[in-house]
Amino acid sequence: MGTWIATAEAHPNIAFIKYWGNRDHEARLPSNGSLSMNLAALTTRTRVAFRPDLSADRLILQGREVTGPALARVSRVLSLVRAWSGVARYAEVRSENNFPTGAGIASSASAFAALAVAAAAAAGLDLSEQALSRLARWGSGSASRSVPAGFVEWLPGTSDEDSYAVSIAPPEHWDLVDCIALVSTEHKAVGSSQGHRLAESSPYQAVRVADAPRRLALCREAILQRDFEALADIVELDCHMMHAVMQTSTPALLYWEPATVRVMQAVRRWRTREGLPVAYTIDAGPNVHVLCPRAVSEEVQRRLQALPGVQRVLASGPGGAARLLSP
Ligand code: DP6
């Protein structure tokens, strides 16, 4: 039996090779493998308490009770934990981010990674990292990548059993910094879960998916060799391939704002004309993640902050694995 209560922490991650589209939407079996870096400076802390007095699961986010689809998604993961452990109780889940919510930084990855680790421990399950990554995947695909440490690859697999993420290098391997240029803090119109369902409607998705193993190999190699130029090329190509799919799906998704494009063009100029090691990538939103080595990160942050339309810049180096906190 479990201790009934456990608390865990996890970091969000930024994908260098993107996850977009599922073969199975319910189990979140992705159309292609993906690769990311955890973000040390951003953290979600989640406490799970299985209680005998509850008649349903409860979710409290940043101190506020949440119901509806967000609660249903959390319950889905809790129900798997109940099925695997034999625990029959409902749970109260309290989750907090150390980064501004609604600032346009996706928190589902860190949220479901922390939930998986805390819920499994509270129910007395002793799960391997792979099993925790699979469990997190049911809540949010990218959460599978927030379970292992540092630079992480999600192996797409063929079924629930073999679709999980593994660390390809620890956080100390390469001191890269993600400088996140926030250009809008508005809530996005179409979230990623809905977006994944539209991917197949783009004629470009099949091409993007077929070419994914090649991009993954190039990205993996660039990370292992700490080759920034190679990383920059493949990360920007992969970002554009995903946004090409988004922009050509039905209905079309156009996440970029004018300031997004301004940042993209500035980053390209800095790299190609001035030789500054910088590269951009963009998720399902308008904010731009600008990657660079630590040595130039202060300079990059200063430059980003000075661009019109950039409201704020957050910076983070590579982060560790999702972890249980002592009770
Ligand atoms: C564009 O993991 O947020 O950030 O599984 O529905 O929660 P759900 O989707 P999510 O999708 C991430 C999409 C992305 C690319 C990436 O992180 O790989």
Side-chain angles (χ1 to χ4, degrees), residues 19-31 73 76 136-141 154 191-201 205:
Y19 151 50
W20 197 246
N22 286 315
R23 281 170 297 138
D24 177 328
H25 290 292
E26 217 222 325
R28 290 185 162 81
L29 300 179
S31 302
R73 216 163 145 180
R76 182 89 185 81
R137 193 199 74 230
W138 283 88
S140 173
W154 176 10
S192 358
S193 301
Q194 251 178 298
H196 289 296
R197 293 178 184 269
L198 299 178
E200 286 302 323
S201 70
Q205 171 72 346

Side-chain angles (χ1 to χ4, degrees), residues 69-122:
L71 173 63
R73 216 163 145 180
V74 164
S75 277
R76 182 89 185 81
V77 172
L78 292 170
S79 294
L80 285 172
V81 170
R82 280 187 283 262
W84 294 357
S85 65
V87 164
R89 298 179 179 188
Y90 289 106
E92 181 187 87
V93 176
R94 284 181 182 273
S95 191
E96 249 126 61
N97 297 325
N98 79 341
F99 48 96
T101 15
I105 302 163
S107 57
S108 71
S110 48
F112 283 101
L115 176 70
V117 171

Side-chain angles (χ1 to χ4, degrees), residues 7 26 57 66 125 208 224 282 287 306 323:
T7 304
E26 217 222 325
D57 293 321
V66 176
L125 287 171
R208 192 192 74 87
L224 295 178
I282 303 155
N287 299 322
R323 66 192 182 104

Side-chain angles (χ1 to χ4, degrees), residues 15-16 219 230-240 279-281 291:
F16 294 172
C219 186
L231 184 77
D233 286 343
I234 198 63
V235 164
E236 289 187 3
L237 171 66
D238 187 82
C239 164
H240 280 271
Y280 61 75
T281 187
L291 307 170

